[in-house]
Amino acid sequence: EVQLLESGGGMVQPGGSLRLSCAASGFNFNGYAMSWVRQAPGKGLEWVSGISVSGDTTYYADSVKGRFTISRDNSKNTLNLQMNSLRAEDTALYYCAKAVFSTGLFDNWGQGTLVTVSS
Amino acid sequence: DIVMTQSPDSLAVSLGERATINCKSSQSVLYSSNNKNYLAWYQQKPGQPPKLLIYWASTRESGVPDRFSGSGSGTDFTLTVSSLQAEDVAVYYCQQYYTTPYTFGQGTKLEIK
């Protein structure tokens, strides 16, 4: 059974940083692209960032480009998201999502970790 | 960026009746080399992550009841629930995975009338 367990969320002041992690199990992690998708309270889904199988190619939404960095450690089955220069509009539940091979189609999602940016 | 627009924003349907949700993309998501539409539908129930229902515009994910069906091509797509059940109350999202940034529709809230 595929399991994705996010961690690292919390409350941070504007301008601060957080590092999210996603521990993956139940599948061959180094065979699939991964992404982060967020959902602001009461709002819809927004794709944030994606990373290729090997980790050598990364993609970002314009809203986070230059502030967020996605990475993966295939030896530890872990996906990460380093978030810097956080803004109030980054407040959201952040989901880790497993892609169908190297596509942007997401067949498994974690339960999410909540990030709150507030002074 | 490809903008995904769903209609309606909310929908109330009687149990056992048909529910139809539309999704329009600002540009075609049909990849000519394989003739596949890079369009998915997700269901999200309160307090839960999204669940993949339909991909390639019309292929049901394993385990999804056959009352859910997807259709359409190019820029216009439809999700149909043929006979609404109580457990289908949720928000439904379409998503294009044709190109980054991957984008979702704003969501359609499906309720029981």
Side-chain angles (χ1 to χ4, degrees), chain B residues 3-78:
Chain B
V3 177
M4 308 299 292
T5 303
Q6 292 180 226
S7 62
D9 290 335
S10 63
L11 180 63
V13 173
S14 300
L15 289 172
E17 295 300 305
R18 178 185 299 259
T20 301
I21 299 170
N22 300 301
C23 175
K24 188 174 184 67
S25 57
S26 61
Q27 64 189 76
S28 176
V29 298
L30 174 63
Y31 193 36
S32 55
S33 66
N34 60 10
N35 201 36
K36 286 183 179 291
N37 287 284
Y38 284 59
L39 188 283
W41 289 96
Y42 298 85
Q43 176 193 63
Q44 187 178 31
K45 296 181 178 180
Q48 296 184 19
K51 173 188 174 184
L52 178 62
L53 291 180
I54 303 279
Y55 57 96
W56 302 133
S58 60
T59 302
R60 259 189 312 276
E61 174 72 328
S62 176
V64 173
D66 61 7
R67 63 180 180 274
F68 291 92
S69 64
S71 63
S73 185
T75 62
D76 291 279
F77 301 91
T78 299

Side-chain angles (χ1 to χ4, degrees), chain A residues 18-35:
Chain A
L18 276 177
R19 184 177 178 84
L20 306 184
S21 293
C22 171
S25 61
F27 66 104
N28 180 22
F29 182 74
N30 60 15
Y32 297 88
M34 299 291 293
S35 276

Side-chain angles (χ1 to χ4, degrees), chain A residues 48-63:
Chain A
V48 171
S49 181
I51 189 166
S52 64
V53 167
S54 64
D56 58 356
T57 304
T58 57
Y59 308 90
Y60 298 94
D62 284 347
S63 58

Side-chain angles (χ1 to χ4, degrees), chain A:
Chain A
E1 179 193 4
V2 172
Q3 291 196 343
L4 300 168
L5 184 61
E6 302 95 337
S7 61
M11 181 173 286
V12 62
Q13 292 187 337
S17 298
L18 276 177
R19 184 177 178 84
L20 306 184
S21 293
C22 171
S25 61
F27 66 104
N28 180 22
F29 182 74
N30 60 15
Y32 297 88
M34 299 291 293
S35 276
W36 289 96
V37 178
R38 69 185 181 184
Q39 187 168 35
K43 302 297 184 183
L45 301 169
E46 179 189 16
W47 174 81
V48 171
S49 181
I51 189 166
S52 64
V53 167
S54 64
D56 58 356
T57 304
T58 57
Y59 308 90
Y60 298 94
D62 284 347
S63 58
V64 307
K65 201 172 293 182
R67 300 187 298 122
F68 290 11
T69 302
I70 192 171
S71 63
R72 65 190 295 162
D73 185 337
N74 285 345
S75 68
K76 296 181 179 179
N77 291 354
T78 301
L79 176 72
N80 302 300
L81 186 67
Q82 178 66 43
M83 304 187 297
N84 298 331
S85 302
L86 282 161
R87 306 166 179 167
E89 55 264 36
D90 296 318
T91 294
L93 187 63
Y94 284 72
Y95 292 106
C96 167
K98 169 185 166 291
V100 175
F101 296 111
S102 295
T103 70
L105 175 65
F106 307 121
D107 62 351
N108 285 276
W109 300 62
Q111 291 296 313
T113 188
L114 182 62
V115 172
T116 303
V117 184
S118 175
S119 55

